[in-house]
């Protein structure tokens, strides 16, 4: 029975929320459900501790108990349009329906009521008609700068009346009518008031948040707002064009050809960098961007959102798309609006007819406006960045060549690495001769480097590698080049597998075994091959008699060696928790990665990723045991057990 009751409650909750007609109504319904236990028509509200700010609570806020990163406390209050009755639970009584003038006095807008009488507006809002009044709360009037308030009330018959009329629309508008992006002519010279209705349930008028909605009156409706609003007559470009603090931005907008767009109809959000913000950028970098129309347009479009975002609409971090095509994390920290986690906004909510402007004191530079060298300047690749410069490659990375740079993470380098001729050559092979995206790479594709060699692309289920280096982070695409952050310093292929084995003294016994078994030609063929190469120590660990017997039987020796070879390339970065590889002879090889070491049939790799032009070599310190009895075709049982005893 209890389960049935919970199920019914859940269905009721879902149905009630789904039937809500707007984001605001959805959040209001959620608040009603949360407040239901306290009686009829009770809504749960969240108040930011230490402030007067209250919000109807949605699911996310309810469980996180935070708004703008600050803790909240829950209060239970009468839902809009209801009041308490002495001795009864909850808020059972609907508020008496009176005219707008008297409604102002009971909904937290007594100061607006007082100024309405002083401006001789009382008769109008007591009389016939159907008005919507966006009434500033008492706190909104108290927050108004003294000089502005004095200017309004010094001539009550003109300025104050005009200001109040701008808060009124000459017909009834409920919260359902306040659609996102809509505008309604006010009763002050028909100047529009601008409505934005956000997915989190917040509704704004001229960027002022509606804190109490749908307070019905006999002659209209009252919505209480959290600030005194002013008439909007200019577009967002006018703010930029007339403010000396935005002089550099004004010049940049003109050079990028964005003036017409910022004067057109729309709903833009412009994060406007001040002169101070531009001055923080290195002069050479700024000069380059200002002189490059493509980079400049990307830079400016990165400061413009595709929709209008008032400060009061933000209750937590939200990724929002810019005109440049990437996203900004727009959030808040207490009363501060933030961009990408930083409180760099100096002035908020400068409203225009086609959007809103927020002034910022730091320039936001997108990757698409940066050179390769600028892309490479980051916390996890500082070592590589310095080495590229020290190797004399800075001109390639700061110029206009179409290139792709492979930048190993800091931990890929040994402590105290110093520049040598070999390292310079190696770093040159970390730069590809074309600008690429990882999304266009395919298995066994060949990429040419500035050093003149070809690198292979290797695609695995959970990794994408270029030779032994696997991509460890998302691409960064700059003005002329791209950057792939990789997990290892690249090992370019140098000769065939046989060449790799011959060049390393650890494999002298293996080289002799390959020659004895007649596999030399195979190890020089195009491949691809993966060879798990037993070192001299691995062979020396065998009983001498068994080793001699094995070396004296070329056919049996070939079978053993082929169990250490596969006809594909598998680098260490492609090994997952359960990776299987089919050897040239015998049953499957089982590979896994533990503590950054690759194991094959439980035998550890002592050195991985020795890259060859026709494959890859992994050094192993023991002869690899077959995983099943199918390998009886390789050895007699007695020889098999003695050979692989560790």
């Amino acid at each position: 029975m209890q389960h049935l009751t919970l199920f019914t409650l859940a269905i009721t909750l879902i149905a009630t929320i789904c039937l809500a007609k707007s984001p605001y109504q959805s959040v209001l319904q959620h608040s009603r459900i949360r407040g239901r236990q306290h009686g009829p028509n009770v809504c749960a509200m969240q108040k930011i501790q230490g402030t007067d700010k209250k919000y109807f609570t949605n699911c996310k806020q309810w469980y996180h108990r935070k708004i703008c990163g600050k803790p909240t406390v829950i209060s239970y209050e009468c839902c809009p349009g209801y009041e308490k009755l002495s001795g009864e639970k909850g808020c059972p009584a609907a508020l008496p329906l009176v005219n707008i003038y008297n409604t102002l006095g009971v909904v937290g807008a007594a100061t607006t009521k007082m100024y309405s009488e002083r401006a001789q507006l009382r008769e109008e809002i007591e009389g016939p008609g159907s008005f919507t009044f966006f009434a500033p709360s008492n706190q909104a009037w108290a927050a108004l700068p003294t000089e502005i308030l004095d200017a309004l009330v010094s001539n009550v018959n003109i300025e104050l009346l005009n200001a109040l009329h701008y808060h009124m629309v000459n017909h009834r508008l409920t919260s359902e009518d306040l659609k996102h992006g809509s505008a309604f002519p006010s009763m002050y010279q028909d100047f529009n008031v601008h409505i934005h209705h956000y997915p989190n349930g917040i509704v704004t008028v001229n960027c002022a948040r509606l804190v109490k909605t749908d307070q019905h009156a006999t002659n209209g409706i009252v919505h209480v707002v959290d600030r005194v609003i002013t008439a909007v007559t200019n577009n967002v470009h006018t703010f930029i064009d007339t403010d000396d603090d935005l002089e550099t931005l004004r010049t940049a907008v003109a050079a990028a050809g964005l003036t017409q767009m910022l004067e057109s109809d729309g709903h833009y959000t412009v994060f406007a960098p001040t002169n101070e913000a531009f001055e923080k950028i290195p002069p050479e970098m700024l000069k380059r961007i200002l002189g490059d129309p493509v980079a400049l347009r990307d830079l400016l479009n990165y400061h413009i959102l595709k929709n209008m975002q008032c400060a009061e609409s933000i209750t937590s971090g939200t990724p929002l798309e810019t005109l440049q095509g990437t996203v900004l994390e727009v959030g808040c920290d207490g009363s501060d609006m933030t961009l990408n986690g930083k409180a760099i906004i100096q002035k908020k909510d400068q409203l225009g007819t086609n959007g809103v402007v927020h002034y910022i004191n730091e320039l936001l530079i997108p990757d698409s406006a940066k050179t390769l060298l600028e892309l490479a300047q980051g916390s996890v690749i500082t070592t590589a960045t310095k080495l590229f410069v020290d190797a004399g490659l800075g001109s390639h990375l700061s110029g206009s060549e179409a290139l792709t740079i492979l930048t190993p993470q800091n931990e890929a380098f040994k402590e105290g690495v110093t520049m040598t001729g070999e390292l310079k050559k190696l770093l040159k092979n970390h730069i590809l001769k074309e600008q690429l995206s990882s999304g266009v790479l395919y298995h066994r594709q060949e990429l040419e480097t500035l050093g003149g060699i070809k690198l292979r692309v290797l695609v695995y289920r959970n990794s994408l590698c270029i030779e032994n280096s696997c991509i460890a982070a998302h691409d960064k695409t700059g003005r002329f080049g791209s950057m792939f952050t990789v997990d290892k310093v690249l090992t370019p292929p140098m000769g065939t597998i046989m060449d790799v084995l011959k060049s390393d003294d650890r494999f002298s016994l293996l080289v002799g075994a390959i020659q004895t078994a007649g596999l030399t030609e195979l190890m020089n063929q195009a491949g691809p091959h993966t060879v798990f190469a037993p070192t001299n120590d691995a062979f020396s660990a065998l009983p001498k008699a068994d080793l001699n017997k094995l070396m004296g039987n070329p056919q049996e020796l070939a079978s053993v060696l082929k169990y250490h070879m596969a006809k594909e390339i598998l680098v260490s970065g492609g090994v997952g928790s359960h990776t299987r590889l089919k050897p040239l002879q015998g049953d499957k090889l089982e590979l896994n990665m533990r503590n950054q070491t690759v194991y094959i049939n439980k035998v550890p790799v002592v050195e991985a990723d020795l890259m060859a032009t026709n494959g890859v070599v992994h050094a192993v310190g023991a002869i690899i045991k077959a995983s099943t009895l199918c390998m009886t075709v390789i050895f007699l049982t007695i020889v098999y057990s003695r050979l692989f005893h560790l």
Side-chain angles (χ1 to χ4, degrees):
M1 185 66 182
Q2 182 182 9
H3 291 301
L4 182 61
T5 303
L6 290 173
F7 177 75
T8 304
L9 181 61
I11 292 298
T12 303
L13 171 62
I14 294 169
T16 305
I17 292 176
C18 289
L19 289 172
K21 297 180 181 179
S22 69
Y24 167 76
Q25 288 294 336
S26 178
V27 173
L28 179 62
Q29 291 285 19
H30 187 275
S31 289
R32 279 181 172 274
I33 291 167
R34 292 293 179 188
R36 171 181 296 171
Q37 59 184 318
H38 294 272
N41 304 313
V42 174
C43 285
M45 302 283 287
Q46 289 204 53
K47 178 181 176 181
I48 301 177
Q49 291 184 16
T51 73
D52 293 323
K53 283 194 167 187
K54 294 180 181 179
Y55 296 80
F56 289 116
T57 181
N58 61 28
C59 287
K60 184 177 179 180
Q61 291 166 352
W62 178 263
Y63 290 109
H64 286 184
R65 292 290 201 274
K66 283 187 177 181
I67 294 174
C68 286
K70 303 301 178 184
T72 61
V73 292
I74 304 295
S75 62
Y76 296 91
E77 304 179 10
C78 292
C79 296
Y82 294 91
E83 64 179 349
K84 292 181 176 294
L85 285 181
S86 179
E88 294 195 30
K89 187 178 181 180
C91 305
L95 285 171
L97 206 59
V98 294
N99 59 49
I100 285 178
Y101 177 78
N102 288 318
T103 300
L104 293 173
V106 296
V107 295
T111 306
T112 300
K113 180 180 180 182
M114 176 189 71
Y115 284 135
S116 296
E117 184 161 9
R118 187 178 297 184
Q120 299 180 14
L121 182 64
R122 175 175 178 173
E123 183 177 352
E124 185 174 358
I125 57 178
E126 280 185 328
S130 185
F131 307 112
T132 297
F133 203 143
F134 297 104
S137 65
N138 298 335
Q139 294 86 349
W141 286 105
L144 202 63
T146 304
E147 62 274 15
I148 295 178
L149 184 59
D150 288 346
L152 285 176
V153 301
S154 61
N155 189 338
V156 295
N157 291 324
I158 300 175
E159 299 297 339
L160 186 57
L161 180 62
N162 289 343
L164 291 171
H165 267 153
Y166 185 63
H167 289 74
M168 295 175 62
V169 175
N170 200 14
H171 58 275
R172 183 189 301 263
L173 296 168
T174 68
S175 59
E176 286 295 293
D177 301 315
L178 302 178
K179 305 296 185 185
H180 187 66
S182 58
F184 301 97
S186 74
M187 294 175 63
Y188 171 57
Q189 297 183 8
D190 285 340
F191 285 130
N192 282 340
V193 291
H194 300 267
I195 306 298
H196 289 87
H197 196 143
Y198 296 94
N200 60 2
I202 288 176
V203 184
T204 64
V205 52
N206 286 24
C207 285
R209 182 168 66 94
L210 274 62
V211 293
K212 287 185 180 179
T213 59
D214 298 330
Q215 307 294 322
H216 291 270
T218 55
N219 57 345
I221 196 164
V222 175
H223 303 289
V224 181
V225 295
D226 68 350
R227 73 180 74 166
V228 179
I229 63 176
T230 54
V232 178
T233 57
N234 297 320
N235 57 49
V236 294
H237 183 260
T238 303
F239 283 102
I240 298 170
D241 203 35
T242 57
D243 194 328
D244 289 341
D245 283 341
L246 303 178
E247 182 179 357
T248 308
L249 176 61
R250 178 163 61 250
T251 303
V253 166
L258 296 180
T259 300
Q260 186 175 356
M261 184 196 75
L262 294 178
E263 290 177 338
S264 65
D265 292 339
H267 298 284
Y268 303 112
T269 300
V270 179
F271 296 105
T274 61
N275 298 336
E276 175 194 357
F278 281 98
E279 289 167 3
K280 293 178 180 178
I281 303 303
E284 287 187 7
M285 183 180 184
L286 183 58
K287 182 180 179 181
R288 176 185 62 78
I289 293 175
L290 292 177
D292 180 349
V294 174
L296 181 58
R297 195 174 298 115
D298 270 1
L299 173 76
L300 296 176
N301 282 337
Y302 189 55
H303 290 75
I304 305 172
L305 300 181
K306 288 185 173 181
N307 50 33
M308 183 169 155
Q309 209 72 40
C310 296
E312 283 298 321
S313 70
I314 306 294
T315 57
S316 61
T318 306
L320 297 173
E321 189 173 0
T322 68
L323 292 185
Q324 185 257 347
T326 52
V327 298
L328 288 174
E329 182 78 13
V330 182
C332 51
D333 183 10
S335 60
D336 291 327
M337 191 176 180
T338 61
L339 284 181
N340 294 341
K342 299 173 71 175
I344 59 175
I345 295 177
Q346 287 184 319
K347 191 190 296 185
K348 298 181 286 190
D349 292 342
Q350 305 302 297
L351 191 66
T353 55
N354 60 343
V356 64
V357 179
H358 307 291
Y359 289 40
I360 60 176
N361 61 12
E362 284 189 21
L363 195 64
L364 307 172
I365 304 179
D367 288 345
S368 59
K370 295 178 180 179
T371 64
L372 274 173
L373 193 59
E374 290 160 356
L375 283 178
Q377 292 167 348
S379 58
V380 298
I381 53 172
T382 51
T383 303
T385 305
K386 182 179 183 304
L387 289 172
F388 280 120
V389 174
D390 292 346
L393 298 170
S395 60
H396 291 289
L397 305 186
S398 57
S400 57
E401 296 174 84
L403 302 170
T404 300
I405 184 173
L406 309 179
T407 51
Q409 297 171 323
N410 290 344
E411 54 264 33
F413 294 95
K414 295 178 181 178
E415 289 287 334
V417 61
T418 56
M419 186 54 59
T420 63
E422 275 301 309
L423 183 54
K424 286 182 181 181
K425 183 179 178 182
L426 179 60
L427 290 170
K428 201 169 184 180
N429 285 320
H430 281 71
I431 304 174
L432 308 176
K433 280 188 173 180
E434 56 184 317
Q435 182 173 8
L436 297 164
S437 159
S438 63
V440 304
L441 300 183
Y442 55 89
H443 192 56
R444 297 185 69 181
Q445 180 181 4
E446 290 191 338
L447 310 172
E448 189 174 358
T449 73
L450 284 186
I453 68 169
K454 296 288 183 69
L455 302 178
R456 294 158 298 189
V457 177
L458 304 169
V459 179
Y460 303 106
R461 182 174 296 277
N462 295 312
S463 56
L464 175 62
C465 307
I466 298 173
E467 296 298 334
N468 63 305
S469 300
C470 299
I471 296 175
H474 292 298
D475 307 358
K476 287 191 174 184
T477 304
R479 174 67 179 92
F480 302 106
S482 299
M483 187 184 80
F484 298 162
T485 299
V486 294
D487 61 349
K488 299 181 186 72
V489 177
L490 184 75
T491 302
M494 303 299 290
T496 66
I497 287 176
M498 204 62 189
D499 294 330
V500 170
L501 295 175
K502 284 181 177 180
S503 66
D504 193 325
D505 291 340
R506 292 177 298 175
F507 302 121
S508 59
L509 292 179
L510 176 60
V511 169
I514 289 173
Q515 292 169 339
T516 299
L519 299 177
T520 302
E521 185 179 349
L522 177 66
M523 294 294 93
N524 283 319
Q525 287 176 356
H529 303 292
T530 297
V531 176
F532 299 101
T535 62
N536 293 345
D537 290 341
F539 282 102
S540 298
L542 295 174
K544 193 167 184 179
D546 292 341
L547 178 59
N548 290 337
K549 183 177 180 181
L550 182 62
M551 291 299 187
N553 187 336
Q555 186 175 359
E556 188 176 304
L557 179 60
S559 296
V560 171
L561 294 178
K562 284 182 178 180
Y563 188 60
H564 292 69
M565 303 171 182
K567 201 163 184 58
E568 60 181 282
I569 299 180
L570 179 63
V571 297
S572 60
V575 177
S577 57
H578 294 285
T579 302
R580 291 180 177 180
L581 203 58
K582 175 68 176 172
L584 294 184
Q585 188 163 326
D587 200 6
K588 62 182 179 293
L589 294 167
E590 296 276 358
L591 295 93
N592 59 71
M593 180 78 76
R594 296 200 309 270
N595 299 323
Q596 299 183 326
T597 298
V598 177
Y599 288 81
I600 312 99
N601 291 11
K602 300 183 180 180
V603 173
V605 169
V606 296
E607 185 177 354
D609 301 334
L610 304 173
M611 307 306 297
T613 54
N614 60 341
V616 62
V617 174
H618 304 290
V620 292
I623 305 296
I624 299 173
K625 240 189 213 186
S627 57
T628 72
L629 293 177
C630 292
M631 286 299 290
T632 54
V633 296
I634 299 176
F635 289 124
L636 295 173
T637 304
I638 185 169
V639 176
Y640 175 88
S641 61
R642 293 178 65 186
L643 265 177
F644 297 96
H645 180 69
L646 298 178

